[in-house]
Amino acid sequence: MGLTSNKVLVLAAFFAVLLFIGTVWFWPRLARRNWRAVGGRVGLLLATQLAIFASIGIAANQAFGFYASWADLFGRESGQGVVVDHNADGGSGGGPLQVIGTQPVNVTGGGRPQLGGQIQKVGVVGRTTHIATRAYVYLPPEYFQPQYRTRTFPAAVVLTGYPGTAEALIKGLHYPQTAHELAKNGQVQPMILVMLRPTVAPPRDTECVDVPGGPQTESFFAKDLPDAVLAHYRVGRKPGSWGIVGDSTGGYCALKLAMHHPNVYAAGAGLSPYYNAPVDPTTGDLFHGDKGLRNRADLFWYLKNMPAPDTSLLVSSSRIGEANYENTLKFIEQVKAKRLTRVSSIILDSGGHNFNTWRREIPGTLQWISGRLSDR
């Protein structure tokens, strides 16, 4: 049974309840003061608490998508092999992207790609950065319908937070299902979603920075990933065809990539983002003393000192529950002072830094980004 399986959660909760009942039942029999009775009481209490904590931990992992598997949890996940094969029609024309598997979208008629679209699990390898990672690509129903066989589609890169899992974007945040329903109701145009985590050099959190002597993460997202997707799928090739969305760390990355590379991303949306790359034990030394690189990673510094990027930005926060509220208001004011850069916001009355908050913001975010992308 997989770590994210509902069976594991039910089994853990069952054992927790069973141990709690057992503790209540056997407690009078262990009321003596000899070492066996004391040891029994201690053992029952510890076992019950461990079972409860395990249940809570498994439930939290399902809600927030910290770890995708047991191997991921225990640090044994290392599979990053990618075969450079296939083209947009499924042939063998070469390219830095391989389809590893497919799955239906959890919507009515999802078993048929022409009705529900399709989610493809892919391996991507960067031609210039040599970064290899896994991702999920959502293809809308129109992609498979004969009348659209020559049409290109806009694409949005969707990023998790750190550490995050790409699966959480499907199972926890429901991006494909939401995009499908919004397009079905005519609220967004059909879009391709490229879903992955920004942690492309796990377990290190590179904050989408080109680390000197290390992973060139910004270049991967600005160059290699779009090139790989363009080589395999019918995606619009003009700058106006691409957007990027993310939450938390992914939100910071989305804003930064749209600001640094407006010729690639016409729009960037940050849900509960922060505005400067932290340096902590998960990141290591990101800048190696390079002050220019450090400044460039600070979005406030970038707005103040660099030419205004011709892109559209969306930021979100909550008046109660989000630590980034004041900085988000400050960021909006600084962007409004720039002539070429456009800014929008989603400000909730309350909402924490969690999936429930982001699920409330995703429909509006997808509508916003759809209105700013072209399919050519």
Side-chain angles (χ1 to χ4, degrees):
M1 292 183 288
L3 177 61
T4 59
S5 167
N6 287 331
K7 292 180 180 179
V8 171
L9 178 58
V10 170
L11 193 61
F14 173 77
F15 276 117
V17 172
L18 193 65
L19 283 165
F20 176 79
I21 294 172
T23 300
V24 174
W25 182 263
F26 285 106
W27 195 261
R29 304 183 187 186
L30 299 172
R32 299 171 185 171
R33 295 185 179 180
N34 59 57
W35 67 270
R36 289 184 179 178
V38 173
R41 294 198 297 269
V42 170
L44 281 174
L45 288 173
L46 285 176
T48 303
Q49 290 182 6
L50 284 173
I52 292 172
F53 285 135
S55 300
I56 294 171
I58 292 169
N61 186 66
Q62 285 200 3
F64 295 101
F66 296 122
Y67 301 99
S69 65
W70 296 108
D72 193 19
L73 174 64
F74 294 109
R76 297 197 303 268
E77 186 65 70
S78 59
Q80 294 186 7
V82 175
V83 177
V84 180
D85 200 355
H86 300 288
N87 58 23
D89 300 317
S92 56
L97 185 149
Q98 179 201 13
V99 176
I100 300 168
T102 62
Q103 64 187 71
V105 182
N106 186 22
V107 295
T108 303
R112 297 179 58 191
Q114 295 89 344
L115 295 178
Q118 188 179 78
I119 298 170
Q120 297 187 348
K121 185 177 183 178
V122 302
V124 182
V125 61
R127 278 179 164 165
T128 63
T129 63
H130 307 295
I131 288 174
T133 191
R134 297 289 174 88
Y136 289 90
V137 176
Y138 163 71
L139 302 172
E142 290 81 0
Y143 193 89
F144 300 95
Q145 296 170 3
Q147 63 268 36
Y148 295 103
R149 64 183 180 275
T150 60
R151 175 179 171 175
T152 58
F153 294 83
V157 174
V158 184
L159 301 176
T160 69
Y162 175 85
T165 65
E167 290 89 345
L169 297 168
I170 301 169
K171 297 179 180 179
L173 292 176
H174 309 148
Y175 269 97
Q177 298 95 310
T178 305
H180 177 275
E181 291 302 320
L182 290 173
K184 183 179 177 181
N185 295 331
Q187 296 173 279
V188 303
Q189 60 180 316
M191 295 184 293
I192 293 173
L193 304 180
V194 184
M195 300 170 285
L196 68 166
R197 58 183 185 173
T199 314
V200 293
R204 187 176 188 183
D205 176 14
T206 57
E207 294 290 329
C208 298
V209 168
D210 280 349
V211 182
Q216 302 296 286
T217 312
E218 181 171 347
S219 294
F220 173 80
F221 284 109
K223 173 66 176 172
D224 285 349
L225 181 62
D227 284 353
V229 174
L230 281 166
H232 195 92
Y233 298 103
R234 300 196 311 274
V235 180
R237 293 183 174 275
K238 292 184 178 180
S241 300
W242 284 80
I244 186 166
V245 183
D247 60 76
S248 192
T249 298
Y252 163 71
C253 287
L255 296 176
K256 180 170 67 174
L257 286 159
M259 292 170 65
H260 288 186
H261 306 277
N263 59 322
V264 178
Y265 295 111
L271 307 184
S272 306
Y274 44 87
Y275 302 96
N276 190 19
V279 176
D280 57 32
T282 67
T283 66
D285 187 356
L286 292 175
F287 308 112
H288 291 255
D290 188 328
K291 186 177 179 181
L293 189 60
R294 181 186 295 274
N295 287 339
R296 196 167 179 269
D298 183 335
L299 302 189
F300 288 115
W301 182 93
Y302 197 87
L303 283 171
K304 183 178 180 180
N305 295 279
M306 300 298 289
D310 185 6
T311 190
S312 296
L313 304 175
L314 171 70
V315 291
S316 82
S317 188
S318 303
R319 292 183 179 88
I320 300 173
E322 282 281 17
N324 76 334
Y325 178 64
E326 295 298 332
N327 276 340
T328 296
L329 297 182
K330 178 183 175 183
F331 183 80
I332 292 169
E333 290 304 313
Q334 286 201 16
V335 176
K336 284 167 63 177
K338 296 293 183 178
R339 185 173 61 87
L340 288 177
T341 311
R342 299 156 295 280
V343 66
S344 304
S345 66
I346 298 175
I347 305 295
L348 302 177
D349 288 332
S350 66
H353 198 79
N354 56 53
F355 277 23
N356 183 57
T357 296
W358 300 328
R359 280 193 293 263
R360 295 159 60 195
E361 297 169 344
I362 286 169
T365 299
L366 289 178
Q367 291 178 66
W368 175 86
I369 206 165
S370 169
R372 283 152 182 80
L373 299 184
S374 165
D375 61 357
R376 298 297 178 189

